[in-house]
Amino acid sequence: METLSDELGKLDTKDLSKTINDFKTYIENFPIDKITEGFSKLKTLISPAWGAYDYNQMSYEDGLELYNFTTAKLLPSLKDILVKLLKIIDSLSEQKTYEATHKNLKKQVDKKEHTIIEASEASNLKSFINTIDKDIDEIIRKLQDVITKNTSHSEFSKLEYLYIVFVDNQLIPHLVQFLNINPTTLQELGNTVWNMLYKILQHNIAYYDNTYAKPDIQFENSFLKGKIKNVDVTDDDIYSSKKESENYDKFITYIEDIEERYERNASQYNLLDLLFTLIANDKKAQELLSTLPDIISKIDMAEYIARGEVDVRLKLLRNLLTNLNSVFDIRNFGELEDSTHKLTSLQEENNNDKNPYNDTLKRGSLKYFLIESHSTSRRKLHPEVKNFLQRLGAKR
């Protein structure tokens, strides 16, 4: 897992972050009012015949705005995310030589040829992404055909738009097939992305070495057993005095519980529970996850006019997004980053200094916890430790 962490740290994700932010902005600004405006919520009174009543019609200007927004902004930004993900998969599926760091692994080999994502899983992931990309292309093409054929600048049909986006393609069935997950078991039948992700994580765990806050267990079989005194250095980390640390206490308690569970039972649930908890409390991941409730809300509004197969597909999509939102929402422990710690944009974008103790890590970020907080105990030579080392040196 250290190798996986190192490789993820080397990835240049600036472009992906920008693309995700663009997609988030387009979701927030999606002109849903062009679809919902002017019709009754009473579906029983709505005729399924397109063009039969005014509720189904959009003016040429409103329709053109909706169609162009979808084909030129929203869907292309989603395609851009897929392109960036393909590049990440390609990078992580290259075979590289790594130094063995774990003591048990080092006994067997100093260096190891390893791929983060094995060929079979890389192929499956890329196949999924390419399938979704083709579905999006089909939707864009059909929407553009409607615009091209409307030479008379007549009104657009709301139901026709919904039919093209949600029914007249396989995008939603493919999304459900690949992305659906049971929030209770964190599993789903078939070759879902989550099942593949579990296999990838398993492939990158050579040894599971649970770390403990107290050092006793590390000296269980040494002459120091029973002679070690635990020194709590929590207060030496400035973050501990911040209001957000209360959320961190809940977060880390849950993480420790997962680690203990996984040590007893290396199940898919426990491993994905750990991963999803980390993702749910990562600031950048939260930006993308925050789009889920917004999309669900817009689906609810579109359902006012939806009938037949359109309504069925919208419900499938809403159930999928609700499941995904539930998985991450229940693992979100609230704001962790210190709101009083301000970084310049340059510090945030170019924090590549190899010295981690430069106060340019955002206090409360996962990276801060992994680097800064993790090293708190090494910053200060405590009197008890100093005296012990002096006595040990004198004897030798």
Side-chain angles (χ1 to χ4, degrees):
M1 288 293 277
E2 289 182 9
T3 300
L4 175 60
S5 299
D6 288 342
E7 285 300 313
L8 292 177
K10 294 175 186 176
L11 292 173
D12 185 358
T13 58
K14 291 179 184 177
D15 286 345
L16 177 60
S17 297
K18 181 183 181 304
T19 306
I20 288 174
N21 285 335
D22 288 343
F23 178 70
K24 181 174 181 289
T25 300
Y26 293 143
I27 289 294
E28 291 171 348
N29 296 324
F30 182 78
I32 188 68
D33 59 298
K34 308 304 179 189
I35 298 176
T36 59
E37 191 174 43
F39 61 81
S40 170
K41 296 181 181 181
L42 300 176
K43 290 186 181 182
T44 53
L45 301 179
I46 297 177
S47 167
W50 294 351
Y53 295 98
D54 288 340
Y55 77 84
N56 180 44
Q57 301 306 114
M58 292 180 283
S59 68
Y60 176 78
E61 292 74 20
D62 285 350
L64 194 62
E65 179 184 343
L66 176 64
Y67 275 69
N68 282 336
F69 188 93
T70 305
T71 60
K73 294 181 178 180
L74 181 63
L75 293 182
S77 72
L78 185 53
K79 282 173 62 64
D80 287 343
I81 292 176
L82 298 180
V83 170
K84 303 295 189 299
L85 291 177
L86 283 174
K87 289 182 179 179
I88 290 175
I89 293 170
D90 284 337
S91 176
L92 295 180
S93 57
E94 293 177 1
Q95 188 175 55
K96 298 178 182 178
T97 302
Y98 299 97
E99 296 285 343
T101 55
H102 193 280
K103 59 184 179 180
N104 292 336
L105 188 60
K106 207 168 180 65
K107 293 176 184 177
Q108 303 173 25
V109 60
D110 288 330
K111 296 182 179 180
K112 183 180 180 183
E113 295 293 326
H114 184 71
T115 54
I116 301 299
I117 303 178
E118 292 184 292
S120 59
E121 301 309 327
S123 176
N124 288 335
L125 286 171
K126 290 165 75 170
S127 175
F128 157 63
I129 291 175
N130 287 327
T131 297
I132 298 302
D133 188 62
K134 289 178 181 177
D135 289 336
I136 296 172
D137 282 340
E138 182 181 355
I139 296 172
I140 292 175
R141 186 178 67 254
K142 289 178 178 178
L143 290 176
Q144 289 174 334
D145 285 345
V146 173
I147 297 173
T148 302
K149 292 175 181 177
N150 192 355
T151 56
S152 62
H153 291 192
S154 59
E155 294 178 325
F156 284 93
S157 165
K158 299 174 182 178
L159 287 176
E160 183 178 18
Y161 171 87
L162 292 174
Y163 185 83
I164 291 173
V165 173
F166 296 108
V167 179
D168 199 20
N169 59 81
Q170 292 300 305
L171 178 61
I172 293 178
H174 285 150
L175 288 174
V176 172
Q177 177 186 347
F178 292 121
L179 290 178
N180 201 25
I181 188 170
N182 185 319
T184 304
T185 64
L186 301 186
Q187 295 184 37
E188 192 70 21
L189 294 177
N191 200 27
T192 67
V193 167
W194 315 116
N195 292 342
M196 285 187 267
L197 185 57
Y198 171 60
K199 293 177 183 177
I200 292 170
L201 292 174
Q202 273 191 316
H203 171 64
N204 286 278
I205 299 177
Y207 292 93
Y208 180 71
D209 186 8
N210 193 6
T211 55
Y212 294 84
K214 297 182 180 180
D216 313 55
I217 196 168
Q218 299 176 41
F219 301 95
E220 185 65 27
N221 298 314
S222 75
F223 74 97
L224 291 173
K225 180 182 179 181
K227 300 178 182 179
I228 298 297
K229 178 183 178 182
N230 178 54
V231 179
D232 189 348
V233 295
T234 301
D235 291 341
D236 291 334
D237 184 348
I238 190 173
Y239 177 78
S240 66
S241 64
K242 304 302 177 180
K243 63 180 181 179
E244 291 83 3
S245 66
E246 294 182 7
N247 293 334
Y248 170 77
D249 290 339
K250 299 172 186 175
F251 164 73
I252 202 62
T253 297
Y254 189 73
I255 290 290
E256 289 170 349
D257 175 67
I258 298 173
E259 290 175 334
E260 291 176 9
R261 280 192 275 117
Y262 187 78
E263 191 172 26
R264 295 192 303 268
N265 179 18
S267 66
Q268 176 165 337
Y269 177 85
N270 287 332
L271 189 54
L272 291 185
D273 192 13
L274 176 61
L275 178 68
F276 291 156
T277 302
L278 293 174
I279 292 174
N281 293 278
D282 177 74
K283 199 70 173 181
K284 289 184 179 180
Q286 287 173 351
E287 292 177 359
L288 179 59
L289 294 173
S290 67
T291 64
L292 294 178
D294 197 8
I295 297 174
I296 292 170
S297 174
K298 286 179 169 60
I299 290 173
D300 288 341
M301 288 188 279
E303 277 197 296
Y304 292 152
I305 192 175
R307 293 183 60 82
E309 189 61 25
V310 173
D311 194 33
V312 171
R313 288 287 181 90
L314 284 174
K315 282 183 168 59
L316 282 175
L317 181 59
R318 184 179 58 189
N319 289 340
L320 167 64
L321 299 181
T322 300
N323 284 344
L324 291 174
N325 189 59
S326 174
V327 165
F328 293 103
D329 188 54
I330 62 175
R331 291 171 173 81
N332 186 316
F333 289 89
E335 185 60 59
L336 297 181
E337 292 192 0
D338 177 10
S339 57
T340 67
H341 188 203
K342 306 299 182 183
L343 297 179
T344 66
S345 58
L346 192 62
Q347 285 176 318
E348 292 180 340
E349 293 175 7
N350 301 311
N351 184 26
N352 297 318
D353 195 325
K354 293 182 179 179
N355 173 18
Y357 314 125
N358 55 15
D359 204 34
T360 61
L361 296 174
K362 180 68 174 178
R363 277 198 297 270
S365 65
L366 292 185
K367 196 170 184 180
Y368 177 88
F369 295 140
L370 292 170
I371 296 177
E372 187 74 13
S373 296
H374 185 67
S375 301
T376 301
S377 61
R378 306 171 195 169
R379 304 284 170 71
K380 182 178 178 181
L381 185 58
H382 299 275
E384 298 92 338
V385 177
K386 183 177 181 180
N387 292 335
F388 169 77
L389 292 175
Q390 288 176 335
R391 292 196 307 271
L392 184 64
K395 289 180 181 179
R396 293 188 176 182

